[in-house]
Amino acid sequence: MEAPSAFVDRLRPAGGKRSSKRDLIVNVFLRQEGHLSADDLVDVLRREGHKSSRATVYRTLQWMADAGIARKVDFGDGRTRFEHSYRHPRHFHLICKGCNRSSEFLSSDVEALIEEIADVRGFAIGQSVVQIYGRCDECRTGRRRAAGEVPVERLFARDALRIAIQTERSGLDFYSRAARITKDARGRRVFRKLAAEEQEHLGKLEARYAELLAEDPELESRPTFLFFKGAASGLFAAGAEELDKGADDRQALRIGIRCERGSHRFFKRYGERFEDSEGKRIFLEFADEEREHLELLIREYRSLAARQSRARSKAKARAHRADT
C-alpha cells in the first residue's frame, strides 16, 4: 500500500519544489476523517503542536484539491470544506439546510448518468461533485439519529459485503435450481459444485459481515452508502427466473455464463474504480471468484456441445447403416 508521503511526491508537478511545511499539513490532513475547513485544520495542527497561518493552510488545501489529493465541498453555510480523496471512494452528498450536516452516498446510476452525459459531449471528467440540498430525517421528524460519525470506508465495506452476500445467495439459488433441472450428469455435477462453492463463500462473507458488526454494533442501522439497483436482489435473480420458465441443459449453462460474466464485470468495474479500501478489496476478491466460475461454465458448455454433436453424428451414422 502506498504511503501518504509517496503519494504526495508522485502528485507533485515535475520540477515542483518540496516544502516541509506543506508536507506536514498534507500528512496531518490525510490522518483526519470527514470534512475540514482551513480553520478546522489550523486547530488540529495547533493541538499537535504545529504553528501555521490560516492563509498557508488554505493554500495547501487548494493545492491538494488541484492535485487530486482532496475534494472541495460546499455545504451552503458559507464555509469551504475539504475531504481527502487518498484511499477514499468517490461519493456524493446529501446536505441538510436545517442543521448543515451532510451524509454521503455512492450510486452506480448517478455515476453512469454522469459518464453518459460526458461521453455524449466529448467531455473528459476530472472530478465530479454531486450535492443535494434538503432537510434530513432528524430535522423533519425530530427523530434522533445514531450518535457519532462513521468513516466512509467502514460504510463502504459494510455495503460491499451486503452486495456480495446478496449476489452469493442469488447464485446459490440459481445453481441449486440448475442442478435439479439438468439431465446431463456431468453438467449436473458442475452445477452442484458451483452451488457448494457459493454456499461456502456465503458462509465466509456472512462471518466477515458479523465481525464488522461486532466492531461497531450500531453500524447495521447507519444509512446505506452504496446504491446499486442491479445488485439489490442479487445478480443471478433474473437467471433463476429464466430457469423456472423452462430451459434445457445448454440453455441453463448459457444463462449461468451470462450471469457470471455480468457479475464479474460488475465487481471488477466498480472495484477498480474505487480507491484503496476494504470495500475495494471485497469487490476485487469477488470479481476473481466470479471469473473462475465463468471460465468453468464456458469449458463445460463447450464440452457439452461437443458431446451432443458427437452423439448426433453417431445417431445419424446408425440411422444411415440401418437404411442401407
Side-chain angles (χ1 to χ4, degrees), residues 51-316:
K51 291 183 179 180
S52 190
S53 69
R54 184 187 185 282
T56 299
V57 170
Y58 186 81
R59 284 197 301 271
T60 302
L61 287 168
Q62 186 61 56
W63 176 85
M64 284 190 280
D66 294 340
I69 305 171
R71 302 186 189 94
K72 187 185 294 187
V73 292
D74 180 2
F75 294 159
D77 60 353
R79 299 178 70 197
T80 299
R81 293 178 174 85
F82 297 82
E83 60 180 2
H84 63 75
S85 57
Y86 171 69
R87 295 169 51 202
H88 203 63
R90 281 193 302 174
H91 55 272
F92 313 115
H93 296 91
L94 296 170
I95 302 167
C96 178
K97 296 293 286 184
C99 61
N100 288 324
R101 289 184 296 194
S102 71
S103 60
E104 301 168 341
F105 71 96
L106 189 148
S107 168
S108 59
D109 302 300
V110 174
E111 289 266 358
L113 180 60
I114 290 172
E115 291 173 2
E116 180 182 347
I117 293 171
D119 184 61
V120 168
R121 299 194 176 190
F123 187 79
I125 298 175
Q127 291 189 25
S128 55
V129 178
V130 175
Q131 296 181 171
I132 303 170
Y133 294 89
R135 290 179 67 82
C136 68
D137 181 66
E138 185 173 345
C139 286
R140 287 189 305 103
T141 66
R143 286 194 295 263
R144 298 292 298 275
R145 65 178 182 176
E149 295 294 329
V150 176
V152 168
E153 285 190 6
R154 189 176 299 175
L155 294 175
F156 179 26
R158 179 203 63 185
D159 291 352
L161 280 169
R162 284 177 174 175
I163 293 171
I165 286 170
Q166 194 58 41
T167 299
E168 209 71 280
R169 286 174 178 165
S170 67
L172 173 60
D173 179 56
F174 174 83
Y175 289 121
S176 297
R177 295 189 193 196
R180 288 196 296 270
I181 69 169
T182 298
K183 296 180 175 61
D184 178 68
R186 179 168 164 173
R188 191 163 53 248
R189 286 195 298 272
V190 167
F191 284 133
R192 285 175 177 169
K193 168 183 168 62
L194 289 172
E197 288 186 6
E198 299 285 82
Q199 184 73 65
E200 180 185 358
H201 294 162
L202 177 60
K204 291 179 179 178
L205 288 169
E206 289 176 334
R208 201 166 171 179
Y209 188 73
E211 290 174 3
L212 192 65
L213 295 186
E215 296 172 4
D216 181 357
E218 292 189 348
L219 189 61
E220 182 82 342
S221 63
R222 300 284 181 172
T224 301
F225 174 67
L226 294 179
F227 288 89
F228 288 144
K229 283 187 177 179
S233 58
L235 294 171
F236 290 77
E241 291 178 4
E242 285 188 65
L243 291 180
D244 288 345
K245 294 176 183 178
D248 60 27
D249 293 0
R250 289 177 70 172
Q251 287 171 335
L253 285 167
R254 281 200 298 269
I255 295 170
I257 288 170
R258 190 179 69 242
C259 289
E260 288 288 0
R261 182 175 284 121
S263 182
H264 168 68
R265 286 175 176 171
F266 172 85
F267 286 101
K268 188 172 189 293
R269 177 187 179 192
Y270 286 101
E272 289 180 343
R273 178 175 301 180
F274 299 142
E275 293 155 19
D276 190 22
S277 63
E278 177 66 9
K280 175 187 181 79
R281 288 188 288 274
I282 291 167
F283 267 45
L284 292 182
E285 286 171 12
F286 208 79
D288 287 341
E289 292 176 1
E290 300 301 74
R291 176 180 50 77
E292 292 174 4
H293 289 180
L294 173 62
E295 292 170 353
L296 174 60
L297 287 171
I298 291 174
R299 288 196 301 271
E300 181 54 32
Y301 180 82
R302 290 171 177 169
S303 175
L304 176 61
R307 294 197 304 274
Q308 289 179 338
S309 177
R310 288 195 297 270
R312 286 194 296 270
S313 296
K314 289 180 181 178
K316 286 182 181 179

